Amino acid sequence: MKDLIRVAVVGSGPAGFYSAGALLASQEPKAAVDLIDRLPTPWGLVRLGVAPDHPNIKAVSRAFEKIARQPAFRFFGNVELGRDVTHAELAERYDAVIYAVGAQTDRQLGIPGEELPGSWPATAFVAWYNGHPDFQELEFDLSHERAVVIGNGNVALDVARMLALTPEELAPTDTTDAAIEAINGAGVKEILVVGRRGPVQAAWTPVEVGELGELAGADVLVDPAALDLDLASAAELEAAPPQVKRNVEHLRAYADRPVAGKRRSIRLQFHASPVAILGDGRVEAIELVRNTLVDGRAMPTGETEMVECGIVFRSVGYRGVALPGVPFDHRGGTVPNDRGRALDPDGERVPGLYCAGWIKRGPSGVIGTNKKDATETVELLLEDARGGRLPEATGEDLEQLLAERGLAPVVYAGWEAIDASERSRGEPLGRPRVKHSTWDELLTAAQAPRADRQLDG
Ligand code: NAP
């Protein structure tokens, strides 16, 4: 058994960082970790997915900073698999490679009009308001009185809530200035959130449902009739875990609450599926069909309604994207694996190849779920190392390969420079940071000499 293994982890979101942390904690063998990301910034969805008005969730990044401070850790930002380095080149150099790249695209509805201008994946809106450098050119037309959000997960609630925040609620967050301006100036009066099944079957969680009721600038509207549960749903609720019961309690409270007449409202509509998005050159309306539940599944009744709207956010889940040179299950959008050990199309293990997080299990769970998930992968990787089952690696340095190609990765000190610059821009405004959100700005900030950074602060 080697005393020291060298592992590349691709993707620096929670699954990547938790994988790195578990590896660096190993004593036999010891591990050195190179964490690679296509962006110049680490933390994945903690930086670019978690809603900016949820700073407590973002605070998990402190645990990642602690991992990054360990001497056997290196960060290679601005390095894209397939463009700058291939999987084969990583496999040659490292004893093992863990893919923790998340789920980088959205699931489709598969209905007419889905591609009309004004019909957006919720994930694009989320990336935009969070300052993802690939999404800053997008223009969301929020001038119409009604925005529709399809889906009953936490992302749908994030989008609905962000659209409903008041200027005072947005001001202390790290939402991009462009997004703050657009949301503050939006003509949106109603945000209609549409679930294909009922309140008992919704995928969201109680804290997120509960905080809708605390919004300063939005009423939450729920039709009491939606809470007249059919027999099967009532039985499901009876047997459901406490969080489902709490979700329904929140909804009952909203249904009972008098309307305060706030600036905006979030209306939660259940048992309805989109059948078409309509409009002449842009979204003007969405056609919904009323559903009934049959064995827990949403079945269309044929009864339809047309809802006028100017924008539609499709929030029906993320989807993993295939990585060049790495086995992929196109149906599930994951790397086929056995508890994190990647499998080839014949179901055989691929020595030295592992996965963790959403690309391993699909886009489910909260940030903390990835700790257990990554630990499982790393334990098996270490077991393979101890059993001599990792392939021979040359150990040649990635840094050298990138330098030979004229590529300049953003190393951890570069990210620290970005971080310091963003925080110093935020501090006088009482904001956690003002993000650099274009590639140019990010790369410039990453190269800022230390003295500049101190001047900034
Ligand atoms: P999600 O939780 O899987 O929810 C997807 C929603 O889309 C479900 O309500 C689903 O309904 C619905 N849906 C799927 N296909 C549909 C279709 N064809 N037509 C209509 N509706 C459809 O996904 P997510 O909201 O993207 O969240 C991803 C993960 O991140 C989740 O685990 C979530 O909890 C987590 N997250 C957590 C937080 C937080 O903790 N604050 C914030 C954001 C995200 P069915 O149930 O009927 O399939």
Side-chain angles (χ1 to χ4, degrees):
M1 182 188 81
K2 281 185 168 179
D3 294 336
L4 173 76
I5 56 167
R6 299 179 68 250
V7 182
V9 179
V10 182
S12 68
F17 261 102
Y18 286 129
S19 296
L23 284 162
L24 293 166
S26 169
Q27 291 305 318
E28 280 181 45
K30 287 192 184 306
V33 177
D34 285 350
L35 187 55
I36 299 166
D37 204 293
R38 66 176 286 275
L39 290 177
T41 55
W43 306 348
L45 286 180
V46 169
R47 177 178 164 92
L48 298 169
V50 170
D53 66 330
H54 281 169
N56 294 345
I57 302 183
K58 289 190 188 263
V60 69
S61 56
R62 284 194 214 114
F64 304 157
E65 284 169 346
K66 222 167 133 190
I67 290 166
R69 278 199 291 272
Q70 300 195 42
F73 174 93
R74 296 192 302 179
F75 179 65
F76 289 88
N78 192 24
V79 175
E80 184 171 329
L81 190 89
R83 184 191 66 183
D84 301 325
V85 65
T86 65
H87 168 64
E89 286 163 345
L90 292 181
E92 261 165 45
R93 284 168 173 75
Y94 292 90
D95 296 297
V97 184
I98 301 179
Y99 285 99
V101 293
Q104 292 174 56
T105 188
D106 59 296
R107 288 184 52 200
Q108 301 278 301
L109 287 170
I111 59 170
E114 192 162 5
E115 303 307 329
L116 266 181
S119 161
W120 294 98
T123 52
F125 187 59
V126 169
W128 172 72
Y129 64 59
N130 264 315
H132 190 304
D134 291 343
F135 291 81
Q136 297 311 299
E137 302 292 309
L138 303 184
E139 284 180 24
F140 296 92
D141 178 358
L142 301 175
S143 60
H144 195 279
E145 286 193 5
R146 187 179 290 112
V148 172
V149 183
I150 302 297
N152 270 180
N154 281 328
V155 171
L157 290 191
D158 280 349
V159 166
R161 199 182 61 255
M162 285 298 293
L163 284 170
L165 292 183
T166 60
E168 295 72 29
E169 286 167 323
L170 279 169
T173 70
D174 63 6
T175 312
T176 61
D177 287 344
I180 291 179
E181 200 180 309
I183 294 168
N184 287 346
V188 174
K189 291 210 168 77
E190 180 178 276
I191 301 139
L192 176 67
V193 180
V194 182
R196 65 175 168 182
R197 300 192 290 158
V200 178
Q201 291 82 23
W204 50 45
T205 44
V207 172
E208 284 65 28
V209 184
E211 69 188 340
L212 293 181
E214 289 157 24
L215 291 171
D219 285 306
V220 187
L221 309 177
V222 180
D223 180 356
L227 294 153
D228 272 344
L229 302 179
D230 60 278
L231 284 178
S233 291
E236 190 180 333
L237 180 62
E238 186 73 25
Q243 60 263 36
V244 175
K245 295 192 164 94
R246 287 208 300 281
N247 284 343
V248 175
E249 278 163 24
H250 282 305
L251 297 174
R252 288 197 197 286
Y254 298 146
D256 288 345
R257 203 190 256 195
V259 178
K262 294 181 183 175
R263 184 174 71 135
R264 289 178 183 155
S265 58
I266 297 178
R267 182 183 295 279
L268 305 178
Q269 179 173 353
F270 297 94
H271 301 292
S273 285
V275 283
I277 300 174
L278 302 114
D280 187 4
R282 63 175 180 86
V283 171
E284 292 174 32
I286 185 163
E287 186 181 2
L288 302 175
V289 64
R290 194 168 166 70
N291 293 328
T292 177
L293 284 183
V294 179
D295 296 331
R297 289 171 62 97
M299 301 301 282
T301 60
E303 187 190 324
T304 62
E305 65 170 318
M306 202 69 83
V307 179
E308 271 187 39
C309 58
I311 195 161
V312 172
F313 297 103
R314 310 176 316 258
S315 183
V316 296
Y318 288 79
R319 207 184 142 69
V321 174
L323 292 151
V326 177
F328 196 69
D329 168 7
H330 288 272
R331 265 179 67 104
T334 53
V335 172
N337 71 91
D338 175 15
R339 293 166 293 156
R341 286 177 173 130
L343 303 175
D344 69 16
D346 298 325
E348 299 294 324
R349 270 195 219 165
V350 185
L353 179 53
Y354 300 83
C355 54
W358 280 3
I359 199 68
K360 167 182 168 187
R361 66 172 197 279
S364 67
V366 292
I367 292 165
T369 316
N370 295 297
K371 187 165 187 183
K372 196 161 161 248
D373 181 302
T375 304
E376 176 186 60
T377 296
V378 168
E379 275 170 6
L380 294 179
L381 187 160
L382 293 170
E383 202 178 290
D384 292 343
R386 289 183 206 111
R389 289 188 294 274
L390 295 183
E392 278 298 311
T394 61
E396 267 175 50
D397 205 65
L398 176 65
E399 204 171 3
Q400 197 184 326
L401 176 77
L402 297 175
E404 279 163 18
R405 294 192 171 153
L407 299 169
V410 172
V411 296
Y412 202 71
W415 153 244
E416 285 180 316
I418 296 173
D419 189 36
S421 162
E422 290 184 344
R423 285 181 198 273
S424 69
R425 282 160 28 122
E427 209 193 322
L429 306 170
R431 301 171 67 184
R433 62 179 68 238
V434 172
K435 283 180 180 168
H436 293 295
S437 54
T438 65
W439 281 91
D440 276 354
E441 272 186 40
L442 285 161
L443 295 176
T444 305
Q447 286 156 15
R450 190 160 287 272
D452 284 357
R453 272 190 277 149
Q454 280 164 355
L455 281 178
D456 272 349

